[in-house]
Amino acid sequence: MSKLVLYGLDISPPVRACLLTLRALDLPFEYKIVDLLKGEHRTEEFLQKNPQHTVPLLDDDGTLFWDSHAICCYLVDKYGQSDDLYPKDLVKRAKLEQRLYFDASVLFMSLRNISVPYFYKKVATVPQEKIDNIIDAYGHLENFLGDSPYLTGDTVTIADFCCGATASSLPAMVSIDPEKYPKITAWLARLGELPYYKEANAKGAEEYIAILKDVFTIV
Ligand SMILES: N[C@@H](CCC(=O)N[C@@H](CS)C(=O)NCC(=O)O)C(=O)O
């Protein structure tokens, strides 16, 4: 088997989506920490690997990929013993990919649009409209879950890993009220029962929330 190297750090939700996928597939990999807060993603060496200077970055035997969603899809397609985590059936796959694009363009962006100005420019005042984006995204997530235990139906997939890593970090900005969002609350608790969840996601999400909780003032 080729050698897999994941670049990232635990506080990053998209890195944790990849950690969940790697653990779910039981794949051996090397984890190389890139400390964004020390600017390690802007070094010449890292920029040569990923000019977009984001983590996660995956190196599979010299081939480099970034964007967590692309990485998770690739890992299951290439190394999965089954297609359970990323079904080949076109209708199932399209539904799952809608959730991935939702994470990439709506859910994660609602977090990134607040965290990036804070981490890199110490901007701690947050316009209400950015908070409203998170509340809107929670509403969509609650709606997507419907009566299913997971985001695309009865079994866990990479859509749960990607959206779950983000959703479990967003309480740094807006808490998930169990009364208002009972389905999101139950879904995150269900993900929490996965044997690899604590190590791959919960610890990093807790660290992320601890860093950002109470630093923002909404204007
Ligand atoms: N859509 C990308 C987002 C990656 C992303 O924004 N990662 C953040 C850390 S959570 C990052 O690397 N930020 C540094 C930067 O953008 O310069 C993915 O899913 O991988």
Side-chain angles (χ1 to χ4, degrees):
M1 191 187 135
S2 52
K3 184 172 179 239
L4 293 169
V5 182
L6 182 74
Y7 292 80
L9 78 173
D10 283 0
I11 57 168
S12 159
V15 170
R16 283 185 263 117
C18 296
L19 291 171
L20 284 163
T21 305
L22 286 158
R23 299 285 185 212
L25 294 170
D26 204 16
L27 293 173
F29 66 99
E30 186 186 347
Y31 188 28
K32 285 199 181 167
I33 300 299
V34 180
D35 191 337
L36 303 181
L37 304 178
K38 289 188 184 150
E40 289 175 1
H41 59 310
R42 296 268 184 175
T43 61
E44 200 47 49
E45 192 192 346
F46 191 79
L47 287 171
Q48 273 184 11
K49 293 186 167 69
N50 176 3
Q52 205 185 323
H53 50 76
T54 54
V55 292
L57 169 72
L58 182 77
D59 180 340
D60 184 358
D61 226 7
T63 307
L64 298 163
F65 306 92
W66 63 92
D67 192 284
S68 57
H69 311 87
I71 293 170
C72 294
C73 295
Y74 171 82
L75 287 171
V76 183
D77 271 347
K78 182 158 182 197
Y79 297 109
Q81 307 271 323
S82 75
D83 70 349
D84 291 353
L85 290 172
Y86 183 41
K88 288 197 164 48
D89 174 271
L90 285 182
V91 173
K92 288 185 183 162
R93 185 164 278 213
K95 183 175 176 184
L96 187 155
E97 285 178 342
Q98 180 272 319
R99 275 45 166 162
L100 296 185
Y101 296 132
F102 168 75
D103 181 52
S105 60
V106 177
L107 193 64
F108 177 71
M109 288 313 292
S110 74
L111 173 145
R112 190 182 147 97
N113 285 339
I114 296 175
S115 62
V116 164
Y118 177 74
F119 280 131
Y120 301 115
K121 294 188 182 152
K122 288 284 163 258
V123 177
T125 49
V126 179
Q128 180 63 43
E129 66 203 50
K130 288 194 179 179
I131 297 296
D132 292 345
N133 288 339
I134 298 175
I135 295 167
D136 279 353
Y138 282 168
H140 292 308
L141 205 51
E142 183 79 5
N143 185 33
F144 295 158
L145 281 159
D147 293 324
S148 300
Y150 298 102
L151 266 178
T152 56
D154 290 334
T155 56
V156 73
T157 69
I158 55 171
D160 299 290
F161 296 161
C162 291
C163 293
T166 308
S168 58
S169 308
L170 273 166
M173 290 106 184
V174 179
S175 54
I176 299 174
D177 178 351
E179 303 256 310
K180 200 167 163 201
Y181 305 112
K183 290 171 183 176
I184 301 177
T185 305
W187 166 67
L188 287 176
R190 206 168 289 120
L191 292 179
E193 286 163 16
L194 296 168
Y196 43 83
Y197 184 86
K198 185 165 189 222
E199 198 56 38
N201 188 60
K203 277 167 56 178
E206 278 162 23
E207 199 188 331
Y208 182 84
I209 291 169
I211 294 170
L212 293 179
K213 197 88 186 138
D214 302 327
V215 303
F216 298 117
T217 306
I218 300 159
V219 290

